[in-house]
Amino acid sequence: MRKQFAVIGLGRFGASVATALARMGCEVVGIDADAAKVEAVMNEITHAIQADARDEEALKAAGVRNVDVAIVAIGEDVEANILVTLIVKEMGIKCVVAKALNDLHAKVLAKIGADKIVFPERDMGIRVARALAAGNVLEHIDLSPEYSIEEIAAPHRLAGKTLAELNLRAKHGAMVMAIKRKEEIIVAPGGDDVIRVGDILVLLGPTKVLERFQERE
Ligand code: ATP
């Protein structure tokens, strides 16, 4: 069966999540109190419903109880955001994702049982800053506060070296998971593989170590 989602609050963030999920083939019910927001996504998602999400009966009528994941994307109205998170959690939805405005708000969301808390503006700001500050970082995924996966354009100083010569695992606790070379991808490369100019390296390791691979002028 297709995975079912409810997106509550269809502002810029909520509408973007809802339409992206629908395009990926998921079943998506979207709810917003504002008729114009509902109309804007009506043709792109499974159901778009105008309702005040603080009304539990309205949520039930919209079928929210049966979804696999509920995303609470109400922004500025922190009270509504918290109340709706509590309502959907109490309905028994296994995975509730809530948007937080700040750390204190996030703490409250965690206390009432939100399973995942997102800070879209803050996270996007960090991504943009990273991309601008370190010109060769293409992708960055935080695995934990200390570890991450990074896709970086291989710094010129590494060209011509084998992975054995770099010896990243022993020296720094980091590893090259893959090398992307034009159309080709070398998954789990070995010690004999040589880094070439133009390669893209997929690295896993301590964030502090990976930062050293960011090419500086
Ligand atoms: P974004 O940055 O995603 O545009 P935002 O942080 O500015 O959002 P808001 O615009 O405050 O957040 O809220 C997002 C949406 O949630 C709005 O379209 C708003 O109509 C809707 N919303 C707010 N409160 C409720 C509610 N109680 N029930 C249903 N929808 C609501």
Side-chain angles (χ1 to χ4, degrees):
M1 214 170 75
R2 289 200 298 166
K3 211 165 179 188
Q4 298 184 323
F5 292 83
V7 179
I8 301 165
L10 298 166
R12 285 160 301 182
F13 172 65
S16 158
V17 171
T19 53
L21 286 168
R23 275 186 218 125
M24 287 185 253
C26 303
E27 217 165 281
V28 182
V29 52
I31 295 152
D32 201 294
D34 179 346
K37 298 282 170 64
V38 173
E39 210 166 302
V41 298
M42 205 161 58
N43 295 324
E44 296 190 62
I45 66 175
T46 321
H47 297 293
I49 291 160
Q50 184 194 358
D52 187 324
R54 289 171 296 188
D55 176 357
E56 192 170 346
E57 292 310 313
L59 291 184
K60 282 184 184 158
V64 170
R65 236 182 332 182
N66 304 317
V67 300
D68 302 296
V69 182
I71 298 123
V72 182
I74 296 172
E76 274 156 44
D77 189 344
V78 174
E79 194 182 319
N81 169 298
I82 291 169
L83 199 58
V84 172
T85 303
L86 187 64
I87 293 171
V88 290
K89 204 58 220 174
E90 290 206 326
M91 273 179 180
I93 295 169
K94 287 272 166 353
C95 180
V96 175
V97 181
K99 165 176 161 167
L101 286 187
N102 53 49
D103 289 337
L104 187 60
H105 183 188
K107 255 190 203 165
V108 177
L109 290 170
K111 279 252 153 67
I112 60 173
D115 301 283
K116 189 170 167 57
I117 296 160
V118 292
F119 295 83
E121 289 89 355
R122 192 181 78 178
D123 294 349
M124 197 57 199
I126 293 170
R127 282 180 87 91
V128 170
R130 258 188 198 136
L132 294 173
N136 63 336
V137 177
L138 308 170
E139 276 295 344
H140 178 105
I141 301 168
D142 284 318
L143 296 177
S144 72
E146 289 88 29
Y147 287 90
S148 53
I149 295 176
E150 241 171 46
E151 207 177 85
I152 65 162
H156 281 74
R157 63 190 146 85
L158 301 189
K161 296 211 162 98
T162 64
L163 296 186
E165 279 171 323
L166 288 180
N167 202 8
L168 288 178
R169 206 187 317 222
K171 279 194 196 152
H172 305 291
M175 61 182 282
V176 180
M177 297 166 74
I179 300 174
K180 290 186 184 176
R181 185 169 291 158
K182 295 204 177 89
E183 304 305 309
E184 193 191 352
I185 178 157
I186 306 163
V187 177
D192 296 338
D193 280 297
V194 180
I195 296 176
R196 296 191 197 156
V197 174
D199 280 354
I200 290 168
L201 309 178
V202 185
L203 295 166
L204 181 154
T207 308
K208 281 207 174 86
V209 169
L210 301 191
E211 277 168 4
R212 282 189 230 148
F213 286 86
Q214 295 169 8
E215 202 152 40
R216 290 185 186 91
E217 296 300 319

